């Protein structure tokens, strides 16, 4: 296996117009990420505005995640078949129409079905971003393109807290949790329509596709998301719904993977998993997304539990992590272009920074406010782009540009599924440790009651304080577990195949100002 993909003999020109189109694809991917995250953050306001019970409203988030994952393996294939520009604009337009209409739906079943469709349309936009970066960007700036793709994991989830605050606290209308994507989405559509070139369709591919695999994979992946996302709420295998969803989902997904492996024209390139950097990269990505969930989600949940903080009071943490990613991702890309830099070491340093952040945050007490989380947040600001961009470089450098669509599907399957698993894992661990510490502290308080006989405590004050301290101790335990996971990933990262920095061709003074992009059609 070669360590890096060779340059293509034909190199189309990357013009300003094409660059605008690529930025539109990036903006659409950001909008897609926010369209799933923001409504989930303001779910309480959404359920209040629509008059749903809390348990019923939780299915809205699950439906979106299920649709998003179901679209990931197939989006790049359809983009090639119907042309990237046409497919991307159609999916973006459908996502915007659904976002505009969702707040007006009052029937829960219809709303869940539309939210599922919304996830399919929006989820189709993200794989196109990686495919476009590999197809159009020249070697001299391709790493910057990967840094932009990394922002779908480092920027969108973190700034979502600020947008959620804007929707429900500033604009005072929960419907903006859906409508916020409309102006940005329309701008992205205009940029893509103007900048991305028209390409011919490849409709004969429709006769060659693995349609049997698609009909297995779509419901299989959806059911897996349902089982994982609702597992904590329904107590996992104590619920027949979870047992049926996970069991059926696992069977259908396994059959889908077998069908894809055997089919001559698969939707996803499972054969790519034979390459060491790719299968190591996917394992690392899954763990990395769990680690990154401790940057904003965990402290925001802790502050909400301890001090009844609303989103507005915790939004500073999300913006502190998210906004610097606009610059730091490209800084890491510039670093990886240096011949003396080993991307594996950059990845490991990023993980070490996030492990340090978890170690600092594990000292949490019931007196912590936003400012006490700033030092751990600062380490996440540095560590997240180092880890994510270096990981993408180590994975992407082992594929040919023509293999980009297959890789894009696989990467985004892992990304979405790992995000759902991370939320379920943190929720389950928090519940287990909270229960353990609550019972332990309650027993200790009970033993001390005879010594407090002369004191007049308000009813329930002791239990309330026990529950509060149990929550603090459980959060500290979660931080320690995630920090340990980050450290355990470092030896795995050092097992990656070394990929030398890409050699950027020197440009002579007579070379035109246009940039050549090494890409296969």
């Amino acid at each position: 296996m070669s360590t890096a993909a060779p340059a293509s003999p034909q190199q189309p020109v990357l013009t300003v117009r094409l660059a605008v189109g690529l930025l539109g694809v990036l903006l659409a991917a950001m909008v897609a990420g926010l369209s799933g995250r923001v409504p989930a953050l303001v779910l309480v306001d959404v359920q209040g505005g629509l008059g749903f019970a809390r348990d019923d409203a939780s299915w809205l988030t699950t439906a979106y995640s299920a649709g998003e994952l179901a679209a990931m393996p197939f989006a790049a294939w359809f983009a090639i078949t119907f042309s990237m520009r046409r497919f991307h604009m159609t999916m973006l337009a459908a996502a915007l129409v659904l976002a505009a209409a969702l707040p007006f739906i009052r029937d829960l079943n219809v709303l869940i079905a539309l939210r599922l469709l919304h996830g399919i349309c929006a989820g189709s936009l993200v794989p196109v971003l990686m495919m476009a970066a590999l197809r159009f960007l020249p070697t001299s700036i391709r790493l910057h393109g990967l840094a932009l793709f990394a922002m779908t994991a480092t920027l969108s989830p973190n700034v979502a807290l600020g947008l959620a605050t804007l929707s429900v606290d500033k604009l005072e209308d929960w419907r903006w949790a859906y409508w916020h994507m409309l102006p940005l989405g329309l701008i992205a559509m205009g940029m893509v329509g103007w900048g991305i070139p028209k390409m011919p369709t490849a409709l004969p591919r429709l006769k060659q596709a693995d349609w049997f695999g698609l009909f297995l994979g779509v419901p299989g992946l959806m059911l897996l998301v349902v089982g994982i996302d609702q597992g904590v709420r329904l107590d996992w295998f104590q619920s027949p719904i979870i047992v049926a969803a996970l069991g059926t989902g696992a069977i259908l997904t396994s059959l889908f993977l077998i069908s894809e492996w055997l089919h001559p024209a698969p939707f996803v390139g499972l054969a790519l998993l034979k390459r060491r950097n790719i299968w190591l990269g996917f394992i690392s990505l899954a763990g990395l997304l769990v680690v990154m969930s401790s940057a904003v989600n965990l402290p925001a949940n802790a502050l909400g539990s301890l001090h009844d903080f609303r989103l507005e009071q915790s939004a500073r943490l999300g913006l502190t992590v998210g906004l610097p990613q606009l610059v730091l991702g490209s800084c890491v890309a510039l670093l990886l272009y240096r011949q003396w830099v080993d991307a594996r070491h950059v990845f490991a340093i990023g993980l070490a920074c996030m492990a340090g952040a978890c170690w600092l945050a594990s000292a949490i007490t019931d007196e912590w406010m936003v400012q006490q989380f700033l030092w751990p947040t600062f380490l996440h600001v540095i560590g997240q782009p180092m880890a994510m961009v270096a990981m993408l470089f180590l994975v992407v450098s082992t594929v040919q540009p023509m293999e980009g669509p297959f890789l894009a599907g696989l990467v985004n399957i892992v990304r979405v599924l790992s995000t759902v698993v991370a939320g379920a894992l943190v929720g389950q661990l928090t519940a287990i440790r909270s229960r353990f510490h609550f019972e332990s502290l309650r027993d200790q308080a009970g033993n001390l009651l005879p010594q407090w006989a002369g004191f007049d405590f308000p009813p329930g004050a002791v239990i309330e304080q026990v529950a509060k301290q149990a929550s603090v101790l459980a959060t500290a335990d979660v931080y320690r577990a995630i920090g340990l996971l980050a450290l355990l990933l470092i030896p795995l990262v050092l097992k990656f195949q070394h990929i030398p920095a890409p050699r950027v061709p020197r440009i002579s003074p007579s070379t035109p100002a246009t940039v050549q992009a090494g890409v296969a059609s």
Side-chain angles (χ1 to χ4, degrees):
M1 180 185 68
S2 60
T3 58
S8 175
Q10 295 182 349
Q11 300 187 352
V13 174
L14 178 64
T15 62
V16 173
R17 183 167 182 169
L18 181 56
V20 171
L22 292 176
L23 289 176
V25 175
L26 169 65
L27 183 58
M30 295 293 179
V31 167
L34 293 171
S35 66
R37 181 67 181 145
V38 175
L41 289 171
V42 298
L43 190 59
V44 173
D45 299 270
V46 171
Q47 74 186 44
L50 295 174
F52 297 145
R54 181 176 180 179
D55 289 345
D56 292 339
S58 68
W59 286 96
L60 297 176
T61 302
T62 301
Y64 183 91
S65 299
E68 187 180 27
L69 180 60
M72 292 297 178
F74 314 105
W77 187 92
F78 281 103
I80 295 174
T81 303
F82 295 106
S83 88
M84 181 189 300
R85 179 176 177 272
R86 182 180 291 108
F87 176 78
H88 188 276
M89 293 184 67
T90 301
M91 291 294 103
L92 179 54
L96 295 179
V97 170
L98 288 169
L102 281 168
F104 299 104
I105 307 299
R106 291 296 185 268
D107 184 272
L108 179 62
N109 294 326
V110 174
L111 192 58
I112 290 174
L114 291 180
R115 192 63 173 148
L116 176 70
L117 184 59
H118 195 203
I120 292 174
C121 295
S124 299
L125 302 174
V126 181
V128 177
L129 174 60
M130 173 174 278
M131 186 178 75
L134 294 176
R135 176 165 187 164
F136 293 117
L137 291 180
T139 305
S140 57
I141 60 171
R142 185 168 296 162
L143 283 180
H144 295 283
L146 295 179
L148 295 177
F149 177 80
M151 287 196 298
T152 59
T154 59
L155 174 63
S156 294
N158 294 320
V159 301
L161 206 58
L163 282 174
T165 298
L166 177 65
S167 300
V168 298
D169 292 323
K170 302 298 183 182
L171 299 175
E172 298 182 349
D173 191 339
W174 62 267
R175 293 178 294 181
W176 282 103
Y178 294 104
W179 292 346
H180 74 273
M181 69 179 294
L182 297 180
L184 293 176
L186 291 173
I187 293 172
M189 184 180 296
M191 295 171 70
V192 171
W194 183 74
I196 297 297
K198 295 181 180 180
M199 291 170 281
T201 59
L203 298 181
R205 288 162 52 90
L206 293 172
K207 299 179 180 179
Q208 307 166 0
D210 180 18
W211 296 112
F212 180 70
L214 183 144
F215 291 129
L216 290 171
V218 169
L221 292 170
M222 286 182 178
L223 288 171
L224 285 179
V225 172
V226 168
I228 296 171
D229 200 45
Q230 292 287 330
V232 176
R233 185 179 70 85
L234 297 177
D235 198 17
W236 296 103
F237 296 107
Q238 301 303 315
S239 167
I241 295 177
I242 301 301
V243 172
L246 290 177
T248 307
I251 293 172
L252 292 178
T253 303
S254 299
L255 293 175
F256 161 68
L257 295 176
I258 294 172
S259 178
E260 285 288 284
W261 183 269
L262 299 176
H263 200 276
F267 289 104
V268 294
L270 295 178
L272 294 176
L273 295 176
K274 296 178 181 179
R275 304 177 191 180
R276 189 207 310 178
N277 277 20
I278 292 180
W279 63 264
L280 280 176
F282 289 168
I283 296 174
S284 302
L285 176 59
L288 179 58
L289 290 171
V290 175
V291 174
M292 289 169 58
S293 69
S294 66
V296 176
N297 295 343
L298 198 51
N301 292 338
L303 292 172
S305 174
L306 292 175
H307 308 297
D308 296 323
F309 271 23
R310 283 187 59 83
L311 294 176
E312 183 179 11
Q313 296 165 291
S314 305
R316 179 183 173 189
L317 292 173
L319 296 176
T320 301
V321 176
L323 293 181
Q325 307 305 321
L326 294 168
V327 176
L328 293 180
S330 287
C331 292
V332 175
L334 288 173
L335 182 65
L336 294 176
Y337 273 116
R338 301 294 179 263
Q339 295 296 323
W340 50 271
V341 173
D342 190 331
R344 297 173 298 180
H345 298 160
V346 175
F347 194 170
I349 292 172
L351 288 170
C353 287
M354 288 184 280
C358 292
W359 178 74
L360 290 176
S362 67
I364 183 175
T365 69
D366 61 351
E367 297 179 352
W368 275 38
M369 296 290 182
V370 171
Q371 55 267 30
Q372 277 72 41
F373 284 102
L374 290 182
W375 275 112
T377 300
F378 176 74
L379 289 175
H380 271 285
V381 169
I382 298 174
Q384 285 192 11
M386 294 182 72
M388 184 62 71
V389 178
M391 185 273 299
L392 288 173
F393 168 69
L394 290 167
V395 171
V396 169
S397 296
T398 61
V399 301
Q400 304 287 345
M402 67 181 65
E403 296 172 317
F406 297 107
L407 181 66
L410 288 172
V411 167
N412 284 285
I413 291 173
V414 176
R415 183 181 67 84
V416 175
L417 191 58
S418 298
T419 301
V420 176
V421 170
L425 182 63
V426 171
Q428 184 67 26
L429 184 58
T430 302
I432 292 173
R433 297 305 295 172
S434 293
R435 192 179 306 117
F436 170 80
H437 288 298
F438 179 82
E439 293 175 356
S440 177
L441 292 175
R442 183 189 58 187
D443 291 343
Q444 295 180 39
N447 294 332
L448 293 174
L449 282 178
Q451 304 178 27
W452 299 342
F455 297 91
D456 184 19
F457 290 109
V462 174
I463 293 298
E464 181 180 349
Q465 190 60 225
V466 166
K468 185 176 183 180
Q469 296 303 320
S471 176
V472 172
L473 294 172
T475 302
D477 288 346
V478 174
Y479 271 119
R480 294 187 188 99
I482 294 177
L484 179 61
L485 174 62
L487 292 176
L488 292 176
L489 287 174
I490 292 178
L492 184 69
V493 166
L494 298 178
K495 294 293 184 180
F496 275 82
Q497 178 187 1
H498 172 63
I499 303 293
R503 295 187 177 275
V504 181
R506 295 181 179 274
I507 302 177
S508 63
S510 60
T511 303
T514 55
V515 184
Q516 300 288 325
V519 144
S521 61

